Amino acid sequence: MDAKVQETLASALQHVREMKAQRVADLRPYIAYAAGVIAGLEDAGNLTAREAGEWKKKLDETTAEPTKRTRRGPKPNSRPPQPNLGFIKLVPGPRDPEPFLDGFMRIVALELLQDRVRVYWNLYPLPSHLAVLGDDLGKLDRDTEGLAEEDREHQRFVARTHRLHRLIQFTASDDLGTKYRHSRGGSSGSIERGEESGIADFQPPARNEAKVFIVKVHDATFTISLT
């Protein structure tokens, strides 16, 4: 089997797994797409009937597996407010990072603005493929067996990145019980650096009476003094 053909098939199956992990209610379009990829490659002569049968079996096994329950964070607001970056002050985050799966998350700083609180965060080192993907890593590796190791590592990186972005869901509160709404965020990273950094904006702005600001992500909790 050609390496590019195998990579295409592995990506199609991993996409179905990712949709299952997100607990998408109707998987039929994704299953149909993956089945269409297999059928199309077979019709084009890129897969033998035996190879196509093996990949159809993998797809059937993927769709038959029970969906695992994952933790969900709050959904980001679809319409972030118009920016009003009136700077008030910068508050350093805790000195020590907190475990995030088998990596470490750090809250670098809080930027207090007139209309929001901006959280600067850094994830380093990144959690391992196994910690993020669990059993799906073994399935992906079986799908990509025989490909060049560079291509297999790229597939692992893409799968981990998609899953990781679902896990990095921040919530915020303070010692007065205020619930802050996540309004927007963004991040960047690379496989070479082995880290991810980003921002998360919360509204309303920090209350003057609040003494601490509390940020939670996955199993980590950060308490930052505002005084």
Side-chain angles (χ1 to χ4, degrees):
M1 184 190 306
D2 180 79
K4 288 297 181 184
V5 171
Q6 186 177 356
E7 190 172 348
T8 299
L9 290 164
S11 294
L13 262 65
Q14 182 59 29
H15 188 56
V16 175
R17 295 186 192 112
E18 192 59 37
M19 293 303 102
K20 286 191 69 176
Q22 293 184 33
R23 304 186 70 81
V24 172
D26 188 1
L27 289 172
R28 287 176 297 179
Y30 308 102
I31 296 169
Y33 168 75
V37 169
I38 297 170
L41 291 171
E42 182 182 10
D43 291 344
N46 294 311
L47 283 178
T48 66
R50 182 183 62 81
E51 290 170 336
E54 290 174 352
W55 283 95
K56 289 174 185 175
K57 182 179 179 182
K58 287 184 178 183
L59 178 59
D60 290 341
E61 291 171 349
T62 297
T63 56
E65 291 168 354
T67 302
K68 294 182 179 179
R69 191 174 294 275
T70 56
R71 297 185 181 185
R72 287 181 175 269
K75 294 183 179 179
N77 190 282
S78 59
R79 291 186 60 191
Q82 293 298 315
N84 175 21
L85 301 180
F87 177 79
I88 298 175
K89 69 176 179 177
L90 194 68
V91 180
R95 178 186 180 93
D96 297 324
E98 292 289 336
F100 186 95
L101 299 177
D102 58 355
F104 283 93
M105 174 70 75
R106 181 186 300 276
I107 300 301
V108 179
L110 302 180
E111 188 177 11
L112 304 188
L113 303 166
Q114 289 180 2
D115 69 336
R116 75 191 68 180
V117 179
R118 174 163 288 176
V119 177
Y120 291 87
W121 57 270
N122 174 261
L123 183 60
Y124 177 81
L126 292 175
S128 65
H129 295 109
L130 181 59
V132 176
L133 295 173
D135 294 342
D136 284 347
L137 175 62
K139 297 164 190 173
L140 179 62
D141 280 349
R142 286 193 293 273
D143 293 345
T144 58
E145 189 173 356
L147 291 177
E149 187 56 35
E150 181 180 353
D151 294 333
R152 300 184 78 194
E153 184 61 24
H154 176 71
Q155 289 287 326
R156 297 182 194 115
F157 174 74
V158 170
R160 177 179 64 175
T161 299
H162 288 164
R163 189 73 57 85
L164 194 57
H165 284 170
R166 286 198 307 104
L167 296 175
I168 302 175
Q169 300 287 340
F170 292 93
T171 61
S173 60
D174 60 27
D175 56 312
L176 301 175
T178 309
K179 298 298 182 183
Y180 293 83
R181 173 177 53 84
H182 182 255
S183 57
R184 66 177 181 177
S187 66
S188 63
S190 72
I191 192 170
E192 293 83 8
R193 298 205 323 260
E195 68 176 320
E196 187 95 3
S197 298
I199 62 169
D201 285 357
F202 290 93
Q203 291 180 306
R207 296 175 60 180
N208 293 332
E209 304 87 354
K211 295 181 179 179
V212 297
F213 193 81
I214 303 161
V215 178
K216 294 184 178 182
V217 55
H218 200 58
D219 292 329
T221 299
F222 300 88
T223 302
I224 300 114
S225 174
L226 298 177
T227 59

